[in-house]
Short mmCIF file of all heavy atoms in Angstrom, two decimals:
data_model
loop_
_atom_site.label_atom_id
_atom_site.label_comp_id
_atom_site.label_asym_id
_atom_site.label_seq_id
_atom_site.Cartn_x
_atom_site.Cartn_y
_atom_site.Cartn_z
N ASN A 65 1.92 7.86 16.34
CA ASN A 65 2.57 9.00 15.74
C ASN A 65 2.04 9.27 14.32
O ASN A 65 1.78 10.40 13.94
CB ASN A 65 4.08 8.75 15.72
CG ASN A 65 4.82 10.01 15.42
OD1 ASN A 65 4.83 10.45 14.28
ND2 ASN A 65 5.39 10.63 16.44
N ILE A 66 1.87 8.21 13.56
CA ILE A 66 1.37 8.36 12.18
C ILE A 66 -0.05 8.94 12.20
O ILE A 66 -0.37 9.87 11.47
CB ILE A 66 1.39 6.98 11.45
CG1 ILE A 66 2.84 6.58 11.17
CG2 ILE A 66 0.57 7.02 10.18
CD1 ILE A 66 3.02 5.17 10.60
N ILE A 67 -0.88 8.39 13.07
CA ILE A 67 -2.27 8.86 13.13
C ILE A 67 -2.32 10.34 13.52
O ILE A 67 -3.05 11.14 12.94
CB ILE A 67 -3.10 8.00 14.12
CG1 ILE A 67 -3.17 6.56 13.60
CG2 ILE A 67 -4.50 8.58 14.31
CD1 ILE A 67 -3.70 5.57 14.62
N ARG A 68 -1.49 10.70 14.51
CA ARG A 68 -1.47 12.09 14.96
C ARG A 68 -0.99 13.03 13.85
O ARG A 68 -1.52 14.11 13.65
CB ARG A 68 -0.56 12.24 16.18
CG ARG A 68 -1.34 12.70 17.40
CD ARG A 68 -0.43 12.93 18.60
NE ARG A 68 0.21 11.70 19.03
CZ ARG A 68 1.53 11.56 19.19
NH1 ARG A 68 2.36 12.55 18.96
NH2 ARG A 68 2.03 10.41 19.60
N THR A 69 0.04 12.59 13.12
CA THR A 69 0.55 13.43 12.04
C THR A 69 -0.52 13.61 10.96
O THR A 69 -0.74 14.72 10.48
CB THR A 69 1.83 12.79 11.43
OG1 THR A 69 2.74 12.51 12.48
CG2 THR A 69 2.48 13.69 10.42
N LEU A 70 -1.20 12.52 10.62
CA LEU A 70 -2.24 12.63 9.60
C LEU A 70 -3.35 13.57 10.08
O LEU A 70 -3.88 14.37 9.31
CB LEU A 70 -2.81 11.24 9.26
CG LEU A 70 -1.85 10.30 8.52
CD1 LEU A 70 -2.42 8.88 8.47
CD2 LEU A 70 -1.57 10.80 7.09
N GLU A 71 -3.66 13.47 11.34
CA GLU A 71 -4.70 14.32 11.93
C GLU A 71 -4.31 15.79 11.84
O GLU A 71 -5.12 16.64 11.51
CB GLU A 71 -4.87 13.95 13.40
CG GLU A 71 -6.28 13.61 13.80
CD GLU A 71 -6.27 12.98 15.18
OE1 GLU A 71 -5.68 13.56 16.12
OE2 GLU A 71 -6.82 11.88 15.30
N TYR A 72 -3.03 16.05 12.11
CA TYR A 72 -2.51 17.43 12.04
C TYR A 72 -2.77 18.01 10.65
O TYR A 72 -3.08 19.18 10.49
CB TYR A 72 -1.01 17.42 12.36
CG TYR A 72 -0.34 18.75 12.11
CD1 TYR A 72 -0.28 19.72 13.09
CD2 TYR A 72 0.24 19.03 10.86
CE1 TYR A 72 0.32 20.95 12.85
CE2 TYR A 72 0.84 20.25 10.61
CZ TYR A 72 0.88 21.21 11.61
OH TYR A 72 1.47 22.42 11.35
N PHE A 73 -2.67 17.14 9.64
CA PHE A 73 -2.88 17.60 8.26
C PHE A 73 -4.34 17.47 7.82
O PHE A 73 -4.64 17.57 6.64
CB PHE A 73 -1.97 16.83 7.30
CG PHE A 73 -0.52 17.21 7.44
CD1 PHE A 73 0.39 16.37 8.05
CD2 PHE A 73 -0.07 18.45 7.01
CE1 PHE A 73 1.72 16.72 8.21
CE2 PHE A 73 1.26 18.83 7.15
CZ PHE A 73 2.16 17.97 7.76
N ASN A 74 -5.21 17.19 8.78
CA ASN A 74 -6.65 17.02 8.49
C ASN A 74 -6.96 15.83 7.59
O ASN A 74 -7.93 15.85 6.84
CB ASN A 74 -7.25 18.29 7.86
CG ASN A 74 -7.63 19.28 8.92
OD1 ASN A 74 -7.63 18.95 10.11
ND2 ASN A 74 -7.97 20.48 8.51
N LEU A 75 -6.12 14.82 7.66
CA LEU A 75 -6.40 13.60 6.90
C LEU A 75 -6.97 12.60 7.91
O LEU A 75 -6.23 11.91 8.60
CB LEU A 75 -5.13 13.08 6.23
CG LEU A 75 -4.49 14.05 5.23
CD1 LEU A 75 -3.13 13.54 4.76
CD2 LEU A 75 -5.42 14.27 4.03
N ILE A 76 -8.30 12.59 8.00
CA ILE A 76 -8.97 11.84 9.06
C ILE A 76 -9.72 10.65 8.47
O ILE A 76 -10.46 10.81 7.49
CB ILE A 76 -9.99 12.76 9.80
CG1 ILE A 76 -9.39 14.13 10.08
CG2 ILE A 76 -10.60 12.07 11.01
CD1 ILE A 76 -8.79 14.36 11.40
N SER A 77 -9.55 9.51 9.10
CA SER A 77 -10.21 8.29 8.60
C SER A 77 -11.72 8.38 8.78
O SER A 77 -12.20 8.80 9.84
CB SER A 77 -9.66 7.08 9.38
OG SER A 77 -10.25 5.90 8.92
#
Side-chain angles (χ1 to χ4, degrees):
N65 194 285
I66 289 173
I67 296 168
R68 243 184 296 127
T69 308
L70 291 170
E71 234 168 52
Y72 171 88
F73 289 106
N74 276 350
L75 299 172
I76 316 264
S77 181

